[in-house]
C-alpha cells in the first residue's frame, strides 16, 4: 500500500531541457531534417521536419528576411 504522501516521494521531472545550449543547426536524420534552435531562456527547441516542411519553412524565412530588408 502506498503512503498518503506518495506523490511527494516520486522523482520530479527536470525543468531544464537535456539538449543543452549550442548553435542553430539543422541535420538530416533518416528521412527527416532535425532543427535545433537555441532559446534565450536556455536549452534548445528541437523540431523534426519533413523535407517539404523544411522547404516551406525556408521560403517563409526568406520572405520575412526580404520584407525586413525592404523596410530598412
Amino acid at each position: 500500500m502506498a503512503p498518503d504522501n506518495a506523490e511527494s516521494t516520486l522523482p520530479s521531472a527536470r525543468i531544464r531541457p537535456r539538449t543543452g545550449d549550442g548553435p542553430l543547426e539543422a541535420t538530416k536524420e533518416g528521412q527527416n531534417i532535425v532543427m535545433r534552435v537555441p532559446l534565450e531562456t536556455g536549452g534548445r527547441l528541437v523540431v523534426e521536419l519533413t523535407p517539404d516542411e523544411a522547404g516551406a519553412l525556408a521560403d517563409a524565412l526568406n520572405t520575412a528576411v526580404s520584407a525586413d530588408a525592404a523596410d530598412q
Side-chain angles (χ1 to χ4, degrees):
M1 186 167 153
D4 290 336
N5 62 351
E7 289 182 33
S8 64
T9 60
L10 296 175
S12 61
R14 292 210 177 265
I15 294 173
R16 301 171 76 198
R18 288 181 266 174
T19 57
D21 295 327
L24 172 68
E25 60 183 358
T27 57
K28 180 103 169 137
E29 296 185 13
Q31 297 293 320
N32 292 328
I33 296 164
V34 176
M35 180 177 64
R36 294 173 178 85
V37 181
L39 301 174
E40 290 181 11
T41 57
R44 293 191 288 180
L45 170 68
V46 180
V47 180
E48 186 171 348
L49 304 161
T50 66
D52 290 339
E53 292 169 332
L57 176 60
D59 291 342
L61 291 171
N62 285 327
T63 300
V65 169
S66 297
D68 185 48
D71 290 342
Q72 294 180 5

